[in-house]
Amino acid sequence: MNTAEHQRLTEDEAREVNWKRWGPYLSERQWGTVREDYSEGGHSWSDFPHEHARSRAYRWGEDGLLGFTDRQCRLCFSVALWNGNDTILKERLFGLTGPEGNHGEDVKELYYYSDSTPTHSYAKAMYRYPHARYPYRELVKTNSQRGLHDREYELLDTGIFDENRFFDVTANYIKADANDLLIEIEVTNHGPDAKEIAVLPTLWFRNTWVWGCRHEGCTAKPLIQKVDVPSSPDSHVVHTRHDTLEPFRCQFEQQPGSELLFTENESNMQELFGGENFSPYTKDAFHRYVIQKETDAVNPKQHGTKVAALYRWNLQPGETRKVRLRLTDTETLGDSHPDLGSDFDRVAKLRAEEADQFYDTVIPKSASDQQRMVSRQAYAGLMWTKQFYHYIVADWLDGDEDVMTPPDSRHEGRNKDWRHLYARDVLSMPDKWEYPWFAAWDLAFHMIPAARIDPAFAKKQLMVLLREWYMHPNGQLPAYEFYFDDVNPPVHAWACLRVFQMEKETGKCDYKFLAQAFQRLLLNFTWWVNQVDGNGDNVFAGGFLGLDNIGVFDRSKGLPDGAELEQADGTAWMAFYSGTMMSMALELARHDRSYSDMASKFLDHFIRIVDAMNHGDSGGLWDEEDGFYFDQLKIDGEKHPMKVKSLVGLLPLIAVEILDEDLLDDLPGFRNRLDWFLNNRHDLVKNITFCKTTSRHKRMLISIPSEDRLRRVLAVLLDEKEFLSEYGIRSLSKDHEAKPYEISVRGEDHTVAYVPGESDSFMFGGNSNWRGPIWFPTSYLLIEAVQRYHEFYGDEFQIECPTGSGNMMNLREVADELNRRLSNIFLFTAKDGSRPCLRGSGMNSDDALWQDHVLFYEYFNGDTGEGLGASHQTGWTALIATCIEQLHGKITEGGIDPE
């Protein structure tokens, strides 16, 4: 590929030009996080609430609206707004806390990621700001009156956007060079009346100086000060000074009536706690100056650690107004000032064209205009959800010398066993408001679409969680900051292998990355085996999983006394992990034959787990009567199949590996071990299927289901009365809507029923639901597995799709049909001209003003396709771009189809 953006990626990877130094790495919510919590009981939502955010300095990060920052989050930029009616300056996004929402935390704002290249040489996002006073209290009060069975009360439900009475505020970021950032803020009044708005582009330093800390990143107090320009005394030029960041100059566009405001990024202790302030100029100064008319809130000497240019506009209906800024390092500038004129225009136009050229090489040419738009915005969201994440657990546990002193109970509480964890990186977040912290298994899925546009970034992200300052010394990967000890499905190895394979298809074989990942994953695999195979019988039990409320019991709280749960999905995950590690070792053995012994080790694990799943000493987890895999509850010496048709019984399909005889012949050590199995363990060989593709060429399939069982499980998956929705694969069979599963254990009744939308229980906090909705990560794994089965069985394997329709398909066609149905979530329907994903948000209008801005939700209603949960989870939901590319043959089972 030879586009300008590909060249920038090459230069950045080679460390020739630091193109990724600046990006959308600013969090959208730093308040309410574990990192900022210094309370006695670990109540993060209440210890640092939204009401404190405008006045209180953050210890571990920063947040803002449509923001950018450097990769260490030293110098930050975002936009602040005031519509003349709000009670506070709009500097950050608002949402309900976990306890306030009737389905957990939920952002109550409208904002969209419109575009971004991988180096952020061109990036664009938009915030929709109402004319009327923002209904903070109404949103909190109304949602507090609603229960689990009620819909959430959304911002659109308030009527505040009726008649398009809002401003669209768009932030455009363009890089002329690695340290030359062009910024244009564009505001459009879409309402029927003229309206006033105050716009404050804001530049500030993260507070790294008041805490008394000693670790890396703590600095002396930096400075931003106005630069006197003799030829233009009212010009808006500032200069920055910082211990570890070279000097920069920022030119704010000068407009009639505009002014520069300066303050410090330090807490207003007097306002918050009745204490004494470090300085008379505090973090909330711009709020007080603009809204409360406190002219002495800002520093008249025009210096500080936070600066904004204030523009007051009166916009007519349909009118758009813009303001420009340019942030440039002084070495590049010399004695000149940043150009906001013709050079700005030239670079902005060029970078927009280069972004189009780049994505023309990624998105299939045969994609429809709608598919292309969805893919482009999916990639944009994936890039915009990068965030600087800072959390040094030892310092957080012990507290700081001068300011933040935690209670003694901190040392016996959350994350106390993770003192080694030292996070100071740009990481891919699930959602920068709802989940502004990394989640290990989310990140693995993020990297599949990320590898399509920036494989170097994907590899670094996967490796960072395997490094010793993240991975626990015992081999466990950290889950997420609320509880690093939590255990999510082991998908990291799969993501590493897939990213390697995708890049290999482009002609680059990064065996160094694969080998490094494999060595670290050996530690993690050992931890898994020791953690969840308590009986040593290769059937995995315990209270782990990332699929939250999918089971009969709350797996986070343990099982009834004396009970043991053998998990079909847990065992499938471990078979999947073993098979993936075997494939990684075989791939590495092509390059280094010593890895063939490791491949033999994982072959042994894989075959034994597959056997335990299907047969075992007590019959395995297969139910012949229902033709499905079920969890088994062992209690009082008896075994009871938990006959819930859920993803638990579908996930065994993903444990599938194909061995090619040509490769085996090149690896005599592995070949000998396999032959020993074939000749001596006839009880295990029945799990291996042989297929001759030519008279002399033979392949072997090792998978949990045999061909017969595969057909039976697929018949359930492809049944529209069970798992197959118009919009993809449900997480629970729709059959449980009329026939809930019920069981009584130790006098306590348990019920699992089909719930296609939001959760109807507070299990795992109530903010996610795996009992009916459609989820992209598991859907993607199942589709990939179906493609792998097609690779082995070929077109001769035909199955009815949908079940009962009489329409026969091969498995490649089945995979395409599943991808097509997932795509239906985002594409316009003929029924009402709207996108199913937006149906529940109130955006039912066919107006392009609403419908052309796509939201990539956390999960989707199993019946309607309506988006649910976090509204900007463009991490794993960005997999829709990969699904669309598969539909057009751009990505095959083996990786990428190089056009």
Side-chain angles (χ1 to χ4, degrees):
M1 305 296 181
N2 57 359
T3 70
E5 179 64 12
H6 283 102
Q7 181 61 34
R8 283 188 283 271
L9 287 168
T10 300
E11 292 171 350
D12 186 86
E13 185 178 7
R15 297 185 174 226
E16 295 170 356
V17 183
N18 198 357
W19 281 109
K20 296 178 188 173
R21 186 186 203 189
W22 299 88
Y25 312 143
L26 195 65
S27 178
E28 282 156 1
R29 177 173 64 82
Q30 185 68 16
W31 59 273
T33 61
V34 166
R35 282 155 288 152
E36 301 294 340
D37 174 23
Y38 284 77
S39 65
E40 179 73 31
H43 305 298
S44 57
W45 287 113
S46 58
D47 187 57
F48 202 134
H50 177 265
E51 290 75 20
H52 283 196
R54 67 179 175 274
S55 304
R56 185 172 163 188
Y58 294 124
R59 169 63 177 85
W60 295 99
E62 286 290 348
D63 60 18
L65 197 62
L66 312 179
F68 246 54
T69 185
D70 69 278
R71 61 157 48 98
Q72 293 182 33
C73 195
R74 291 166 292 192
L75 186 58
C76 309
F77 175 86
S78 72
V79 61
L81 307 163
W82 189 52
N83 57 16
N85 296 306
D86 277 353
T87 55
I88 62 174
L89 191 66
K90 177 63 71 174
E91 295 178 280
R92 58 189 49 80
L93 299 170
F94 171 76
L96 303 183
T97 69
E100 287 173 341
N102 60 320
H103 295 110
E105 65 266 31
D106 188 31
V107 67
K108 298 298 183 185
E109 304 273 17
L110 292 179
Y111 58 106
Y112 308 91
Y113 306 127
S114 307
D115 210 348
S116 182
T117 59
T119 65
H120 316 295
S121 58
Y122 181 78
K124 184 176 181 179
M126 187 263 280
Y127 173 69
R128 187 151 283 174
Y129 188 39
H131 292 167
R133 176 178 292 190
Y134 190 93
Y136 293 102
R137 292 183 180 177
E138 180 184 347
L139 288 165
V140 173
K141 180 180 179 180
T142 305
N143 275 285
S144 70
Q145 296 169 346
R146 298 192 174 190
L148 282 168
H149 297 279
D150 299 317
R151 295 188 64 86
E152 296 173 2
Y153 187 62
E154 302 292 0
L155 186 57
L156 276 159
D157 297 329
T158 68
I160 201 168
F161 290 108
D162 290 355
E163 299 180 287
N164 291 341
R165 294 181 181 274
F166 56 80
F167 302 101
D168 275 349
V169 182
T170 302
N172 298 279
Y173 296 94
I174 306 104
K175 293 181 184 178
D177 209 333
N179 285 313
D180 189 2
L181 183 62
L182 287 60
I183 306 169
E184 185 173 72
I185 308 299
E186 176 181 311
V187 183
T188 300
N189 176 13
H190 287 289
D193 304 315
K195 286 293 176 182
E196 293 184 351
I197 185 172
V199 180
L200 292 87
T202 306
L203 186 72
W204 76 99
F205 282 112
R206 176 167 64 90
N207 191 320
T208 56
W209 58 90
V210 303
W211 317 105
C213 54
R214 298 288 184 266
H215 58 72
E216 184 181 13
C218 299
T219 66
K221 188 173 181 177
L223 178 69
I224 305 174
Q225 63 182 8
K226 187 177 185 298
V227 175
D228 292 327
V229 181
S231 60
S232 180
D234 294 326
S235 65
H236 301 334
V237 182
V238 301
H239 180 85
T240 72
R241 189 179 69 209
H242 188 278
D243 281 357
T244 64
L245 186 68
E246 64 267 37
F248 277 78
R249 192 168 296 166
C250 185
Q251 170 101 35
F252 295 83
E253 182 179 348
Q254 187 176 348
Q255 294 187 0
S258 60
E259 54 184 319
L260 279 183
L261 309 177
F262 289 83
T263 190
E264 304 293 347
N265 183 23
E266 295 175 357
S267 296
N268 188 338
M269 302 298 288
Q270 183 177 357
E271 174 71 19
L272 291 163
F273 310 114
E276 184 178 347
N277 288 333
F278 292 108
S279 162
Y281 309 111
T282 56
K283 181 179 177 180
D284 55 10
F286 303 158
H287 159 81
R288 291 157 50 210
Y289 183 90
V290 173
I291 297 178
Q292 298 175 356
K293 314 302 180 187
E294 295 182 28
T295 56
D296 60 350
V298 298
N299 191 341
K301 295 183 179 180
Q302 298 189 309
H303 64 74
T305 48
K306 182 177 179 181
V307 63
L310 172 60
Y311 304 90
R312 301 180 190 270
W313 297 335
N314 188 306
L315 299 184
Q316 298 301 308
E319 182 183 359
T320 297
R321 197 170 296 186
K322 303 176 183 180
V323 63
R324 289 179 170 181
L325 303 81
R326 191 161 183 169
L327 180 68
T328 313
D329 69 305
T330 55
E331 183 178 349
T332 299
L333 278 174
D335 295 329
S336 62
H337 297 298
D339 181 7
L340 300 180
S342 59
D343 184 62
F344 193 113
D345 292 333
R346 178 190 63 80
V347 175
K349 181 174 183 292
L350 178 62
R351 294 293 182 264
E353 292 172 350
E354 290 170 349
D356 290 340
Q357 293 164 5
F358 174 79
Y359 280 110
D360 281 345
T361 70
V362 175
I363 301 170
K365 294 180 176 60
S366 55
S368 68
D369 290 343
Q370 280 298 308
Q371 290 173 326
R372 180 172 293 275
M373 186 183 80
V374 169
S375 293
R376 184 79 173 256
Q377 291 186 34
Y379 282 124
L382 186 63
M383 294 294 97
W384 270 89
T385 46
K386 296 178 184 179
Q387 178 188 308
F388 171 74
Y389 183 84
H390 192 26
Y391 188 18
I392 303 171
V393 174
D395 288 84
W396 178 80
L397 288 170
D398 296 340
D400 293 317
E401 191 172 293
D402 296 343
V403 181
M404 305 301 283
T405 304
D408 291 339
S409 60
R410 170 72 62 88
H411 290 91
E412 299 303 321
R414 177 180 285 147
N415 298 331
K416 64 183 176 63
D417 296 325
W418 291 81
R419 292 185 66 90
H420 71 285
L421 195 142
Y422 192 110
R424 190 167 169 261
D425 299 284
V426 171
L427 296 175
S428 182
M429 299 291 128
D431 179 309
K432 288 203 298 187
W433 191 95
E434 197 137 340
Y435 306 115
W437 26 259
F438 73 87
W441 89 299
D442 295 62
L443 184 144
F445 288 104
H446 301 179
M447 293 308 109
I448 303 306
R452 287 284 291 117
I453 58 176
D454 190 356
F457 171 72
K459 290 183 291 185
K460 287 179 180 178
Q461 290 287 290
L462 291 167
M463 281 304 303
V464 74
L465 294 192
L466 296 173
R467 300 308 300 263
E468 56 271 22
W469 50 89
Y470 281 85
M471 179 187 278
H472 197 280
N474 65 16
Q476 183 179 6
L477 293 181
Y480 36 72
E481 69 176 32
F482 270 92
Y483 190 52
F484 283 137
D485 284 310
D486 209 350
V487 185
N488 295 138
V491 294
H492 214 83
W494 165 80
C496 290
L497 179 59
R498 289 295 176 267
V499 167
F500 170 85
Q501 291 171 331
M502 293 171 75
E503 189 176 37
K504 182 180 179 181
E505 289 293 329
T506 68
K508 181 177 180 180
C509 294
D510 192 346
Y511 283 107
K512 180 179 179 181
F513 157 71
L514 194 65
Q516 288 176 333
F518 183 81
Q519 296 298 332
R520 302 295 297 178
L521 286 163
L522 288 174
L523 302 175
N524 180 246
F525 183 88
T526 301
W527 176 86
W528 268 97
V529 172
N530 293 334
Q531 172 77 10
V532 295
D533 184 16
N535 297 326
D537 59 1
N538 295 302
V539 176
F540 290 81
F544 76 98
L545 204 64
L547 281 65
D548 296 351
N549 68 336
I550 197 168
V552 174
F553 307 106
D554 186 338
R555 299 184 185 187
S556 67
K557 295 182 179 179
L559 299 169
D561 290 342
E564 181 181 329
L565 186 66
E566 295 183 342
Q567 296 177 204
D569 54 341
T571 307
W573 284 121
M574 288 308 296
F576 176 67
Y577 197 175
S578 300
T580 302
M581 291 293 281
M582 179 188 71
S583 291
M584 289 179 77
L586 288 172
E587 182 62 55
L588 287 165
R590 296 176 186 268
H591 186 66
D592 180 348
R593 297 302 171 88
S594 65
Y595 281 95
S596 65
D597 287 343
M598 296 305 299
S600 298
K601 166 186 167 60
F602 287 107
L603 171 69
D604 184 275
H605 276 292
F606 190 27
I607 291 178
R608 292 180 189 278
I609 296 172
V610 168
D611 180 67
M613 187 82 177
N614 284 299
H615 310 285
D617 296 335
S618 55
L621 303 179
W622 172 257
D623 187 274
E624 184 62 29
E625 179 183 3
D626 285 34
F628 208 69
Y629 291 96
F630 296 116
D631 285 351
Q632 303 276 354
L633 180 68
K634 296 171 70 174
I635 190 165
D636 297 333
E638 296 184 4
K639 179 180 284 192
H640 306 274
M642 312 287 285
K643 291 198 172 186
V644 180
K645 287 186 178 178
S646 71
L647 280 173
V648 165
L650 297 180
L651 285 172
L653 271 60
I654 70 173
V656 50
E657 297 295 334
I658 300 172
L659 300 178
D660 193 290
E661 285 268 336
D662 288 347
L663 174 61
L664 301 184
D665 290 341
D666 288 339
L667 301 173
F670 183 81
R671 168 92 261 182
N672 291 339
R673 178 62 173 160
L674 179 60
D675 286 343
W676 184 90
F677 262 108
L678 298 177
N679 295 326
N680 297 283
R681 291 304 305 269
H682 300 290
D683 55 327
L684 300 180
V685 172
K686 56 182 173 287
N687 298 309
I688 301 178
T689 304
F690 296 89
C691 174
K692 287 188 177 181
T693 56
T694 66
S695 58
R696 292 189 300 174
H697 188 72
K698 187 166 62 174
R699 291 187 295 174
M700 304 176 198
L701 179 80
I702 309 177
S703 64
I704 288 179
S706 63
E707 180 176 353
D708 176 66
R709 290 181 179 181
L710 174 64
R711 288 184 179 277
R712 295 188 68 184
V713 175
L714 284 175
V716 180
L717 187 159
L718 299 175
D719 191 335
E720 292 179 320
K721 298 188 295 297
E722 302 227 40
F723 285 97
L724 188 62
S725 164
E726 184 181 348
Y727 305 102
I729 303 169
R730 300 181 178 103
S731 49
L732 188 79
S733 170
K734 190 174 174 62
D735 187 54
H736 288 304
E737 186 172 38
K739 305 172 187 175
Y741 177 79
E742 298 175 341
I743 188 173
S744 180
V745 181
R746 300 276 194 255
E748 186 175 347
D749 295 331
H750 301 270
T751 302
V752 177
Y754 175 73
V755 180
E758 297 278 11
S759 176
D760 62 355
S761 80
F762 281 112
M763 192 183 294
F764 286 85
N767 62 344
S768 70
N769 182 25
W770 290 84
R771 294 183 175 181
I774 296 156
W775 291 76
F776 264 79
T778 46
S779 295
Y780 185 84
L781 287 176
L782 287 166
I783 291 170
E784 185 186 80
V786 171
Q787 293 168 340
R788 299 293 301 282
Y789 287 115
H790 174 261
E791 183 184 346
F792 181 79
Y793 288 115
D795 292 346
E796 291 76 20
F797 188 115
Q798 298 276 316
I799 195 164
E800 205 173 22
C801 181
T803 300
S805 68
N807 183 41
M808 303 302 292
M809 293 185 182
N810 64 44
L811 293 180
R812 178 70 211 193
E813 292 167 336
V814 170
D816 287 346
E817 176 65 12
L818 294 173
N819 277 324
R820 185 190 66 78
R821 292 187 181 227
L822 284 173
S823 301
N824 287 344
I825 291 172
F826 299 96
L827 304 179
F828 281 127
T829 65
K831 296 177 183 176
D832 56 12
S834 66
R835 300 182 194 278
C837 63
L838 301 180
R839 283 175 179 162
S841 62
M843 291 176 270
N844 296 323
S845 166
D846 61 0
D847 189 341
L849 194 61
W850 293 97
Q851 292 297 323
D852 282 357
H853 301 289
V854 183
L855 292 175
F856 298 85
Y857 286 86
E858 184 180 4
Y859 55 103
F860 301 86
N861 187 292
D863 293 339
T864 68
E866 169 194 337
L868 302 167
S871 56
H872 291 74
Q873 193 139 347
T874 328
W876 64 27
T877 304
L879 285 164
I880 184 58
T882 312
C883 294
I884 288 172
E885 286 156 25
Q886 286 183 352
L887 273 174
H888 292 271
K890 186 109 182 195
I891 297 179
T892 64
E893 294 95 326
I896 301 169
D897 179 21
E899 292 181 347

